[in-house]
């Protein structure tokens, strides 16, 4: 074979890998998709698509068949479906006040889950890893015989160095430079690395893949926990910055000279003005209910018209509006999604947020933008962690499979 | 030929097109590059690279030879160079107080230029197009016989609908929904469309391709004219949002409740607090020198220690710092570049900007970011317009050549 023939062969193989990746990605995202639709959407002819889906089926990643409810009238349309029971990922979520773990099938369905509520203070790396690793082992033990774990993803409420899953900065749990990913991988003992991501980054990915932002290539996800984080999808990809610490929307300086102190050491950050503590302080409820329950109590009171709760929600709405205005002027997104505790807060604060947008956003950027709460309930960040777990498989299906088997 | 053989052939042709594009892009960016370096950087073998450069040379786009100053000692290294005299683009720049036009060779060198200073008020579409079209015709007439214009790009100080080059909103010249691109194309009569972009977006592209941000994939460019615009490069690509109106850094709300009025109708925008008018107002100089000369006078006075000028620069530095803090926390860039009038302002305001960064930026994002003034002098936006002119050629060299010839 001449050198350039070898080059052409290599290029053809690269192309085939890319096409396998693309087919599996679509099946994972859309759940069940016909070969005709794949052919149309990928611009490849039917026989090429058949070869590709056959190869993925032979590898045990997809299955071809007639979807339930079809096959009676007319010619049934054959669809390609993910092998969700036998190809799975483990997803973990470390939020400020709970730990979550799930076995998630290819295609994104949660097959089994574990959850632990925990005290906020004094939660060190070792305890968190012990709880999660035990959950993980149970979830693996509960899988079908012969099922294959293809990856592990974890969401954490802090700044993450993606390369090795180190938590660089997680003020709410008091973590600085903790080797979370490596320790969890060791605790699980599956011989798989644990990919760790920032919770709001992962939330944005989940909304984009299977939430309110399906098929929306420019969106912003705002996640409220105790703090406020953000994930920004630009042109279909997560904006993660030069070293993975982008999208720190919570530390946008909205009140530069008169702001409330923020856990990060600064003042007037968005998080300091609209986070849990701000809302509870404004509502005069700092000493009783805290956390999600506290937030929901204030929102419920505001709905009944209680003045102080109403005022608290309005103030949060004003500052949230300033933040959203800046984000829209900077990013010209098609959609802004609110998740975590902001899912509870946003509906009652929406009129204030919209008033700010009307007053301050450039008309051209205002004309199309939509605002919505997450479509994934309280599982937004967990769903994002599952996407991390599947990322390598989706990038190069057969090679990854050979590695993890 | 079977269908899948035909498919493979098509895929090979696509790959070859992509490779031709990539080679030409590198030659355009790097000026003169050896085949060995192309082979190494693109991961293709030498014979493939030789085929590609030979095809580009046969089309008259590049030339192979020994660069000046080499070829005496040892074996000369053959380099591939852009055909800059015979393959050119036209670049236009509509700034608030001047009009620029240039013939720019493949590789980015300005071969010939025209400039007109103009009054700020009452500048309508027709006058601007008349002046620019006349410049353009002169520049075409001045080209080598046989030279080929491969594209036309224009930079405009406002919000642009990229699809058709319409100026949606250009408050400084009072333009709303003006068909600038179409009119300029008609005025030039070259049978080529005019690609129009926002000045700061184009400045960011220029910095990324051949300025302070070469090889920096995450950078922010802040452009001061009368207003303040921005361009953001994320993962090597311009962030232009859902409809092309992203990066409106100038309308980030830095002073939400106590801000100066802004031309956009809002208050407290970054542009209102750090733009030309703010600096001149703070310095008490609104009635004498305005524009760039006015800015430079204030900066020069501040350097001598004159109190009011010094104070003006400090105030601008404080607000500029708030804006830069937010941008760093949001984007985690490796580099922030200041251009236009901010090139004059930044050095004298740098200490205030840095103080804000130290006080408010998260340590992880602060650890690597650099701040610099543009490396392209006053031609940053013009250079960006030239990149627009070459974009189609670089994307698909031979096909574009066949179209424009």
């Amino acid at each position: 074979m001449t050198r350039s023939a070898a080059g052409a062969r290599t290029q053809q193989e690269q192309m085939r890998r890319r096409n396998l990746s693309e087919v599996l990605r679509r099946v994972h995202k859309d759940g069940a998709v016909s070969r005709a639709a794949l052919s149309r959407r990928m611009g490849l002819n039917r026989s090429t698509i058949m070869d590709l889906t056959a190869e993925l089926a032979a590898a045990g990643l997809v299955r071809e068949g007639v979807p339930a409810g079809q096959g009676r009238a007319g010619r049934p349309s054959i669809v390609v479906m993910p092998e969700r029971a036998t190809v799975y990922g483990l997803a973990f979520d470390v939020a400020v006040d709970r730990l979550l773990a799930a076995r998630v099938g290819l295609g994104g369905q949660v097959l089994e889950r574990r959850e632990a509520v925990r005290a906020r203070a004094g939660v060190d790396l070792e305890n968190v890893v012990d709880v999660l690793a035990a959950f993980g082992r149970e979830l693996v033990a509960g899988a079908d015989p012969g099922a294959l774990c293809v990856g592990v993803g974890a969401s954490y409420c802090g700044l993450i160095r993606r390369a090795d899953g180190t938590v660089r900065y997680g003020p709410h749990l008091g973590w600085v430079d903790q080797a979370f990913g490596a320790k969890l991988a060791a605790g699980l003992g599956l011989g798989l690395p644990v990919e760790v991501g920032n919770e709001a980054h992962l939330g944005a990915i989940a909304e984009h893949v299977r939430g309110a932002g399906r098929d929306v290539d420019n969106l912003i996800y705002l996640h409220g926990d105790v703090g406020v984080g953000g994930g920004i999808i630009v042109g279909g990809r997560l904006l993660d910055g030069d070293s993975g610490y982008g999208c720190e929307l919570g530390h946008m300086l909205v009140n530069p000279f008169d702001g409330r102190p923020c856990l990060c050491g600064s003042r007037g950050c968005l998080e300091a003005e609209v986070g849990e503590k701000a809302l509870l302080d404004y509502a005069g409820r700092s000493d009783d209910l805290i956390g999600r329950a506290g937030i929901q109590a204030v929102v419920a009171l505001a709905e009944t018209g209680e003045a102080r709760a109403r005022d608290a929600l309005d103030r949060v709405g004003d500052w949230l509006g300033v933040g959203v205005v800046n984000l829209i002027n900077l990013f010209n997104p098609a959609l802004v999604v609110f998740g975590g505790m902001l899912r509870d807060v946003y509906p009652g604060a929406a009129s204030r947020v919209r008033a700010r947008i009307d007053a301050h956003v450039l008309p051209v950027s205002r004309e199309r933008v939509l605002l919505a709460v997450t479509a994934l309930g309280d599982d937004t960040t967990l769903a994002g962690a599952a996407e991390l777990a599947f990322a390598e498989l989706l990038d190069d299906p057969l090679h990854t499979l050979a590695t993890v088997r």
Side-chain angles (χ1 to χ4, degrees), chain A residues 155-156 158-160 162 197-207 221 223 229-233 238-241 243-249 380-381 384-385:
Chain A
S155 162
Y156 184 89
L159 296 174
I160 311 301
R162 280 296 304 277
N198 166 275
E199 60 178 350
H201 290 196
L202 296 181
I205 289 171
E207 289 298 327
Y221 174 70
H223 185 79
I232 302 174
I233 303 283
L238 180 73
L239 186 164
D240 54 5
S243 32
Y245 311 128
C247 310
E248 279 300 314
L249 315 190
T380 318
T381 52

Side-chain angles (χ1 to χ4, degrees), chain A residues 21-372:
Chain A
S21 160
E22 183 64 19
V23 168
L24 191 62
R25 197 178 294 282
R26 286 172 187 269
V27 171
H28 171 66
K29 184 170 194 283
D30 297 336
V33 55
S34 72
R35 290 196 298 235
L38 286 169
S39 165
R40 205 169 49 245
R41 291 179 202 159
M42 292 177 59
L44 295 175
N45 63 43
R46 295 283 278 267
S47 65
T48 304
I49 292 291
M50 274 184 64
D51 288 352
L52 295 167
T53 58
E55 192 161 352
L56 292 172
L61 293 171
V62 305
R63 188 158 36 97
E64 299 179 285
V66 179
Q70 273 205 17
R72 281 182 164 270
R75 187 178 159 208
S77 86
I78 300 283
V79 296
V80 185
M81 288 165 284
E83 282 286 13
R84 61 177 148 225
T86 50
V87 180
Y88 70 90
L90 289 181
F92 296 96
D93 187 0
V94 180
V96 179
D97 53 10
R98 61 178 190 156
L99 297 173
L100 269 176
R103 192 174 72 248
V104 180
L106 184 64
Q109 195 180 30
V110 172
L111 302 171
E112 194 183 345
R113 60 191 290 151
R114 294 286 185 281
E115 181 162 354
V117 173
R118 53 182 186 60
R120 288 199 179 190
V123 185
D124 62 19
L125 175 67
E126 223 154 301
N127 293 332
V128 168
V129 166
D130 283 351
V131 172
L132 293 180
F135 281 172
R137 287 189 299 265
E138 289 170 31
L139 292 166
V140 169
D144 285 0
L148 187 67
C149 178
V150 295
V152 186
S155 162
Y156 184 89
C157 51
L159 296 174
I160 311 301
R161 184 166 60 214
R162 280 296 304 277
D164 64 358
T166 293
V167 173
R168 291 296 313 278
Y169 182 60
H172 301 292
L173 299 189
W175 291 18
V176 174
D177 289 328
Q178 300 280 302
F180 172 55
K183 297 274 186 192
L184 181 55
L188 288 167
L190 296 170
L192 291 172
V194 176
E195 302 292 329
V196 186
N198 166 275
E199 60 178 350
H201 290 196
L202 296 181
I205 289 171
E207 289 298 327
H208 176 59
V209 174
R210 54 184 81 258
R214 277 176 90 95
D215 306 318
V216 177
D217 273 349
N218 292 283
L219 71 84
I220 296 179
Y221 174 70
L222 278 145
H223 185 79
D225 191 337
V226 172
V228 172
I232 302 174
I233 303 283
V234 170
R237 290 171 52 199
L238 180 73
L239 186 164
D240 54 5
D242 182 52
S243 32
Y245 311 128
C247 310
E248 279 300 314
L249 315 190
H251 301 286
M252 185 162 33
L253 202 53
V254 290
N255 194 1
F257 296 106
D258 193 29
R260 293 166 52 93
C262 183
L263 252 186
C264 76
S266 177
R267 287 182 162 271
C269 297
L270 181 65
E271 159 171 328
E273 307 292 347
V274 312
E276 176 186 312
K277 191 164 181 338
L279 184 72
L280 297 178
D281 280 356
Y282 297 153
R285 297 182 60 101
S286 341
D287 295 329
D288 52 347
L289 273 178
I290 62 161
R292 196 69 180 269
I295 300 279
Q296 287 166 345
V298 172
V299 170
L301 268 178
E303 275 169 11
T304 69
E306 199 268 339
R308 197 148 177 203
R310 186 62 258 164
D311 176 61
L313 217 52
D314 285 349
R315 286 169 74 176
V316 163
D318 279 341
W319 289 115
L320 188 58
V322 172
V324 169
V325 161
N326 284 343
L327 294 170
I328 296 175
N329 277 340
L330 285 174
F331 293 97
N332 179 216
L335 176 69
V336 179
V337 183
F338 300 93
M341 74 92 173
L342 289 175
R343 184 163 79 97
D344 300 320
V345 168
Y346 176 70
S351 62
R352 291 298 184 117
V353 173
R354 287 188 183 281
R356 288 257 161 229
I357 291 175
D358 290 342
H360 297 292
V361 167
L362 299 174
V364 291
S365 274
R366 197 163 70 212
E367 58 196 18
R368 287 171 41 137
V369 67
L370 298 175
L371 284 75

